[in-house]
Amino acid sequence: MDIKTVGIVGAGQMGNGIAHVFALAGYDVLMNDVSREALDAAITLIEGNLDRQVSRGKISQSDRDAAMGRIKTTLTLTDLGQTDLVIEAATERESVKVAIFEDLVPHLKPETILTSNTSSISITRLASRTDRPEKFMGFHFMNPVPVMQLVELIRGIATDEATFKSCLAVVEKIGKTASTSEDFPAFIVNRILMPMINEAVYTLYEGVGSVASIDSAMKLGTNHPMGPLELADFIGLDTCLAIMNVLHDGLADTKYRPCPLLTKYVEAGWLGRKTDRGFYDYRGETPVPTR
């Protein structure tokens, strides 16, 4: 299928980044959210990120202007029905995603490919709640989308070859690299990354090291650009906990048990950068460890 128009559900951290890269690659983008404020904020953020790319010489001013001209927004989910490819990038909760698909599916063109940016939820299970499991895939971008080069493509049990090839061609056109994963809990990246973050939280919980010492040890000892606790704050502690619960429930192995301290931070509403507090406090000029 020749994909020209892309519908994006969700204008948050992932959705606006996905809109950015698709518009820059020449696709017409229609971005949906339930909040006008979220859509306006997304457009402002995309403009700022494109301006930064212009100032660094990565794109031209005409590229920037053309990309912004390709992005439109809507509060009406069903408006996405006429696009060729839909990427759902809503909250990482299965009930939310299923509700979106149930509302959207009756309005889709028969040939539209439906995908989810989920970082951990079963693609087969999500696909089964639609009318097109053979045209459904996992399309998992890394954050921040304009910077990170990887896209995980995840086939459900029913995904057909034509859908996979179409999505693979799209990944290549937007200048990313695809990694193909089987449909198991958390796929490849988060299957490896989240237990590492969870173990870092256990290391803090058990008093082995402080926030600063754990992050410094991993940055300097293993050459990671960010420490695991700093990275958890960047991702969102609620997202980290949700993925650990998917791993724990889906694989029934105690090694994936979420650390109680991670649960406590989420219960406190300390979710990381997006709430100004997580393993670091971001309310001042420089982040300060909270433990």
Side-chain angles (χ1 to χ4, degrees), residues 11-12 31 33-45 73 75:
M31 183 166 50
D33 201 280
V34 294
S35 163
R36 171 50 61 190
E37 292 75 16
L39 288 170
D40 291 344
I43 292 296
T44 300
L45 188 60
T73 63
L75 291 169

Side-chain angles (χ1 to χ4, degrees), residues 247-288:
L247 280 165
H248 191 232
D249 295 344
L251 298 171
D253 192 324
T254 55
K255 74 180 180 180
Y256 299 115
R257 183 172 71 98
C259 179
L261 184 60
L262 178 60
T263 302
K264 184 180 287 187
Y265 269 73
V266 173
E267 289 174 344
W270 292 18
L271 308 181
R273 286 183 175 272
K274 62 187 172 185
T275 58
D276 286 333
R277 275 194 290 188
F279 292 113
Y280 293 85
D281 189 326
Y282 300 93
R283 293 174 296 176
E285 287 188 15
T286 56
V288 178

Side-chain angles (χ1 to χ4, degrees), residues 3 5-7 22 83-87 112-115 139 167 170:
I3 293 169
T5 57
V6 179
F22 272 89
T83 58
D84 301 325
L85 169 68
V86 173
I87 303 172
T112 297
I113 293 173
L114 189 54
T115 69
F139 212 136
C167 289
V170 167

Side-chain angles (χ1 to χ4, degrees), residues 2 8-9 57 82 121-122 129 186 250 273:
D2 185 19
I8 298 168
V9 184
Q82 294 307 301
I121 299 168
S122 168
R129 304 299 295 272
R273 286 183 175 272

Side-chain angles (χ1 to χ4, degrees), residues 13 231-241 271-274:
Q13 195 174 36
L231 179 57
D233 276 357
F234 181 75
I235 294 167
L237 304 192
D238 52 340
T239 301
C240 294
L241 179 60
L271 308 181
R273 286 183 175 272
K274 62 187 172 185

Side-chain angles (χ1 to χ4, degrees), residues 51-71:
D51 287 342
R52 191 175 300 111
Q53 287 180 300
V54 172
S55 67
R56 293 176 178 172
K58 294 188 175 181
I59 63 172
S60 68
Q61 184 66 40
S62 60
D63 289 338
R64 178 258 187 224
D65 295 341
M68 287 307 305
R70 295 187 190 105
I71 302 173

